Short mmCIF file of all heavy atoms in Angstrom, two decimals:
data_model
loop_
_atom_site.label_atom_id
_atom_site.label_comp_id
_atom_site.label_asym_id
_atom_site.label_seq_id
_atom_site.Cartn_x
_atom_site.Cartn_y
_atom_site.Cartn_z
N THR A 1209 0.82 -1.21 0.00
CA THR A 1209 0.01 0.02 0.00
C THR A 1209 0.93 1.21 -0.02
O THR A 1209 2.15 1.20 -0.01
CB THR A 1209 -0.93 0.00 1.28
OG1 THR A 1209 -0.09 0.29 2.45
CG2 THR A 1209 -1.75 -1.24 1.42
N LEU A 1210 0.26 2.27 0.04
CA LEU A 1210 1.08 3.65 0.24
C LEU A 1210 2.08 3.58 1.34
O LEU A 1210 3.16 4.09 1.17
CB LEU A 1210 0.15 4.78 0.31
CG LEU A 1210 0.86 6.24 0.43
CD1 LEU A 1210 1.57 6.50 -0.81
CD2 LEU A 1210 -0.18 7.18 0.91
N LEU A 1211 1.61 3.01 2.41
CA LEU A 1211 2.38 3.07 3.65
C LEU A 1211 3.05 1.65 4.13
O LEU A 1211 3.79 1.73 5.14
CB LEU A 1211 1.52 3.57 4.82
CG LEU A 1211 0.81 4.90 4.65
CD1 LEU A 1211 -0.11 5.13 5.78
CD2 LEU A 1211 1.81 6.08 4.46
N SER A 1212 2.72 0.63 3.41
CA SER A 1212 3.33 -0.55 3.83
C SER A 1212 3.77 -1.57 2.59
O SER A 1212 3.27 -1.40 1.48
CB SER A 1212 2.28 -1.37 4.69
OG SER A 1212 1.20 -1.79 3.84
N PRO A 1213 4.66 -2.37 2.88
CA PRO A 1213 5.12 -3.37 1.95
C PRO A 1213 4.09 -4.44 1.69
O PRO A 1213 3.04 -4.49 2.40
CB PRO A 1213 6.43 -4.02 2.51
CG PRO A 1213 6.18 -3.94 3.99
CD PRO A 1213 5.34 -2.68 4.23
N PRO A 1214 4.19 -5.24 0.65
CA PRO A 1214 3.31 -6.34 0.44
C PRO A 1214 3.14 -7.31 1.58
O PRO A 1214 4.12 -7.43 2.23
CB PRO A 1214 3.81 -7.06 -0.84
CG PRO A 1214 4.76 -6.09 -1.47
CD PRO A 1214 5.32 -5.28 -0.43
N LEU A 1215 1.93 -7.93 1.77
CA LEU A 1215 1.87 -8.83 2.96
C LEU A 1215 2.99 -9.86 3.00
O LEU A 1215 3.35 -10.11 4.21
CB LEU A 1215 0.48 -9.41 2.80
CG LEU A 1215 0.05 -10.40 4.02
CD1 LEU A 1215 0.14 -9.55 5.41
CD2 LEU A 1215 -1.29 -11.03 3.73
N PRO A 1216 3.31 -10.58 1.99
CA PRO A 1216 4.36 -11.65 2.23
C PRO A 1216 5.71 -11.07 2.72
O PRO A 1216 6.24 -11.68 3.76
CB PRO A 1216 4.57 -12.20 0.82
CG PRO A 1216 3.30 -11.90 0.05
CD PRO A 1216 2.76 -10.63 0.58
N ILE A 1217 6.15 -9.85 2.32
CA ILE A 1217 7.38 -9.30 2.85
C ILE A 1217 7.03 -8.86 4.39
O ILE A 1217 7.94 -9.04 5.21
CB ILE A 1217 7.73 -8.04 2.06
CG1 ILE A 1217 8.18 -8.48 0.69
CG2 ILE A 1217 8.93 -7.23 2.73
CD1 ILE A 1217 8.62 -7.46 -0.34
N LEU A 1218 5.94 -8.33 4.69
CA LEU A 1218 5.53 -7.96 6.04
C LEU A 1218 5.68 -9.16 6.98
O LEU A 1218 6.10 -9.13 8.03
CB LEU A 1218 4.20 -7.24 6.10
CG LEU A 1218 3.71 -6.65 7.36
CD1 LEU A 1218 4.84 -5.55 7.86
CD2 LEU A 1218 2.45 -5.95 7.17
N LEU A 1219 5.12 -10.34 6.40
CA LEU A 1219 5.07 -11.51 7.18
C LEU A 1219 6.53 -12.00 7.43
O LEU A 1219 6.88 -12.55 8.55
CB LEU A 1219 4.19 -12.60 6.59
CG LEU A 1219 2.67 -12.31 6.57
CD1 LEU A 1219 2.04 -13.33 5.85
CD2 LEU A 1219 2.23 -12.19 8.00
N MET A 1220 7.32 -11.95 6.38
CA MET A 1220 8.77 -12.32 6.52
C MET A 1220 9.48 -11.51 7.57
O MET A 1220 10.36 -11.97 8.37
CB MET A 1220 9.47 -12.31 5.17
CG MET A 1220 9.11 -13.53 4.32
SD MET A 1220 10.04 -13.58 2.84
CE MET A 1220 9.63 -12.12 1.85
N PHE A 1221 9.22 -10.21 7.47
CA PHE A 1221 9.71 -9.25 8.48
C PHE A 1221 9.42 -9.68 9.92
O PHE A 1221 10.38 -9.82 10.77
CB PHE A 1221 9.13 -7.83 8.22
CG PHE A 1221 9.72 -6.80 9.08
CD1 PHE A 1221 10.94 -6.77 9.67
CD2 PHE A 1221 8.97 -5.64 9.15
CE1 PHE A 1221 11.44 -5.72 10.40
CE2 PHE A 1221 9.46 -4.46 10.01
CZ PHE A 1221 10.68 -4.61 10.60
N GLY A 1222 8.13 -10.08 10.15
CA GLY A 1222 7.81 -10.59 11.50
C GLY A 1222 8.45 -11.87 11.84
O GLY A 1222 8.84 -12.02 13.06
N VAL A 1223 8.60 -12.79 10.92
CA VAL A 1223 9.32 -14.14 11.19
C VAL A 1223 10.80 -13.78 11.65
O VAL A 1223 11.29 -14.46 12.53
CB VAL A 1223 9.24 -15.08 10.06
CG1 VAL A 1223 10.12 -16.13 10.06
CG2 VAL A 1223 7.73 -15.59 9.83
N THR A 1224 11.42 -12.91 10.87
CA THR A 1224 12.79 -12.69 11.20
C THR A 1224 13.02 -12.13 12.57
O THR A 1224 13.99 -12.36 13.21
CB THR A 1224 13.50 -11.69 10.17
OG1 THR A 1224 12.85 -10.48 10.13
CG2 THR A 1224 13.50 -12.42 8.75
N ILE A 1225 12.06 -11.38 13.01
CA ILE A 1225 12.14 -10.72 14.38
C ILE A 1225 12.13 -11.85 15.48
O ILE A 1225 12.90 -11.91 16.39
CB ILE A 1225 11.11 -9.80 14.65
CG1 ILE A 1225 11.25 -8.42 13.70
CG2 ILE A 1225 10.92 -9.30 16.11
CD1 ILE A 1225 10.07 -7.54 13.69
N VAL A 1226 11.25 -12.88 15.16
CA VAL A 1226 11.18 -14.05 16.11
C VAL A 1226 12.59 -14.76 15.90
O VAL A 1226 13.09 -15.19 16.98
CB VAL A 1226 10.07 -15.03 15.66
CG1 VAL A 1226 10.17 -16.30 16.49
CG2 VAL A 1226 8.68 -14.23 15.84
N LEU A 1227 13.12 -14.99 14.71
CA LEU A 1227 14.45 -15.71 14.66
C LEU A 1227 15.54 -14.94 15.34
O LEU A 1227 16.33 -15.63 16.06
CB LEU A 1227 14.68 -15.81 13.26
CG LEU A 1227 13.99 -16.84 12.38
CD1 LEU A 1227 14.34 -16.79 10.82
CD2 LEU A 1227 13.96 -18.17 12.92
N ILE A 1228 15.62 -13.64 15.27
CA ILE A 1228 16.62 -12.90 15.93
C ILE A 1228 16.51 -12.97 17.47
O ILE A 1228 17.53 -12.98 18.11
CB ILE A 1228 16.49 -11.39 15.43
CG1 ILE A 1228 17.08 -11.32 14.00
CG2 ILE A 1228 17.32 -10.47 16.27
CD1 ILE A 1228 16.83 -9.97 13.41
N GLY A 1229 15.32 -13.17 17.91
CA GLY A 1229 15.14 -13.32 19.29
C GLY A 1229 15.64 -14.52 19.87
O GLY A 1229 15.64 -14.72 21.26
N ARG A 1230 15.93 -15.53 19.26
CA ARG A 1230 16.39 -16.80 19.67
C ARG A 1230 17.90 -16.97 19.43
O ARG A 1230 18.34 -16.71 18.31
CB ARG A 1230 15.65 -17.87 18.93
CG ARG A 1230 14.16 -17.85 19.14
CD ARG A 1230 13.40 -19.00 18.43
NE ARG A 1230 12.02 -18.91 18.71
CZ ARG A 1230 11.10 -19.84 18.29
NH1 ARG A 1230 11.48 -20.84 17.53
NH2 ARG A 1230 9.87 -19.72 18.63
N ASP A 1231 18.54 -17.35 20.47
CA ASP A 1231 20.05 -17.48 20.27
C ASP A 1231 20.49 -18.38 19.17
O ASP A 1231 21.35 -18.04 18.47
CB ASP A 1231 20.55 -18.07 21.60
CG ASP A 1231 20.61 -16.95 22.77
OD1 ASP A 1231 20.51 -15.84 22.42
OD2 ASP A 1231 20.58 -17.30 23.92
N ARG A 1232 19.84 -19.49 18.88
CA ARG A 1232 20.21 -20.48 17.95
C ARG A 1232 19.99 -19.99 16.59
O ARG A 1232 20.71 -20.41 15.57
CB ARG A 1232 19.48 -21.75 18.18
CG ARG A 1232 19.79 -22.39 19.46
CD ARG A 1232 19.00 -23.70 19.65
NE ARG A 1232 19.79 -24.72 19.06
CZ ARG A 1232 19.38 -25.96 18.62
NH1 ARG A 1232 17.98 -26.29 18.93
NH2 ARG A 1232 20.18 -26.81 18.21
N SER A 1233 19.00 -19.04 16.35
CA SER A 1233 18.82 -18.60 14.92
C SER A 1233 19.00 -17.07 14.77
O SER A 1233 18.73 -16.48 13.79
CB SER A 1233 17.39 -18.95 14.62
OG SER A 1233 16.51 -18.26 15.50
N ARG A 1234 19.70 -16.51 15.69
CA ARG A 1234 19.98 -14.97 15.76
C ARG A 1234 20.74 -14.60 14.47
O ARG A 1234 20.27 -13.62 13.84
CB ARG A 1234 20.77 -14.65 17.04
CG ARG A 1234 21.04 -13.15 17.12
CD ARG A 1234 21.77 -12.86 18.37
NE ARG A 1234 22.30 -11.57 18.40
CZ ARG A 1234 21.73 -10.57 19.09
NH1 ARG A 1234 20.53 -10.76 19.65
NH2 ARG A 1234 22.14 -9.34 19.06
N GLY A 1235 21.79 -15.19 14.05
CA GLY A 1235 22.50 -14.82 12.91
C GLY A 1235 21.79 -15.11 11.65
O GLY A 1235 21.76 -14.17 10.75
N LEU A 1236 21.03 -16.15 11.53
CA LEU A 1236 20.26 -16.44 10.30
C LEU A 1236 19.14 -15.30 10.19
O LEU A 1236 18.86 -14.75 9.17
CB LEU A 1236 19.63 -17.79 10.40
CG LEU A 1236 18.58 -18.12 9.23
CD1 LEU A 1236 19.41 -18.05 7.98
CD2 LEU A 1236 17.87 -19.45 9.62
N GLY A 1237 18.43 -15.01 11.25
CA GLY A 1237 17.38 -13.97 11.28
C GLY A 1237 17.94 -12.73 10.97
O GLY A 1237 17.23 -11.95 10.08
N ALA A 1238 19.11 -12.25 11.55
CA ALA A 1238 19.71 -11.00 11.14
C ALA A 1238 20.11 -10.93 9.73
O ALA A 1238 19.94 -9.92 9.02
CB ALA A 1238 21.03 -10.79 12.02
N ALA A 1239 20.60 -12.00 9.05
CA ALA A 1239 20.94 -12.10 7.73
C ALA A 1239 19.68 -11.90 6.82
O ALA A 1239 19.74 -11.16 5.78
CB ALA A 1239 21.69 -13.38 7.30
N ILE A 1240 18.65 -12.59 7.09
CA ILE A 1240 17.44 -12.47 6.26
C ILE A 1240 16.88 -11.13 6.45
O ILE A 1240 16.31 -10.55 5.45
CB ILE A 1240 16.43 -13.58 6.68
CG1 ILE A 1240 16.93 -15.02 6.47
CG2 ILE A 1240 15.13 -13.36 6.11
CD1 ILE A 1240 16.04 -16.06 6.94
N LEU A 1241 16.93 -10.60 7.68
CA LEU A 1241 16.31 -9.25 7.97
C LEU A 1241 17.05 -8.13 7.15
O LEU A 1241 16.51 -7.24 6.65
CB LEU A 1241 16.35 -8.82 9.43
CG LEU A 1241 15.77 -7.43 9.82
CD1 LEU A 1241 14.38 -7.44 9.40
CD2 LEU A 1241 15.91 -7.22 11.32
N SER A 1242 18.45 -8.39 7.02
CA SER A 1242 19.19 -7.49 6.19
C SER A 1242 18.69 -7.41 4.79
O SER A 1242 18.51 -6.25 4.25
CB SER A 1242 20.72 -7.95 6.11
OG SER A 1242 21.35 -7.85 7.42
N ALA A 1243 18.45 -8.53 4.13
CA ALA A 1243 17.85 -8.56 2.83
C ALA A 1243 16.47 -7.90 2.74
O ALA A 1243 16.24 -7.13 1.79
CB ALA A 1243 17.76 -10.05 2.35
#
């Protein structure tokens, strides 16, 4: 929309936040969040 990305990208953004919050997947989450 004017103010937000497409839903799939928004959902991936949310998933990466969860990954970053976990020690075992922190690096992977941060790498995906970078992209």
Side-chain angles (χ1 to χ4, degrees):
T1209 68
L1210 176 69
L1211 303 175
S1212 67
L1215 181 60
I1217 292 176
L1218 189 57
L1219 292 174
M1220 286 189 291
F1221 183 26
V1223 168
T1224 59
I1225 292 169
V1226 172
L1227 290 174
I1228 290 172
R1230 298 179 175 180
D1231 287 339
R1232 299 179 86 197
S1233 57
R1234 183 177 168 97
L1236 175 63
I1240 296 170
L1241 183 60
S1242 296

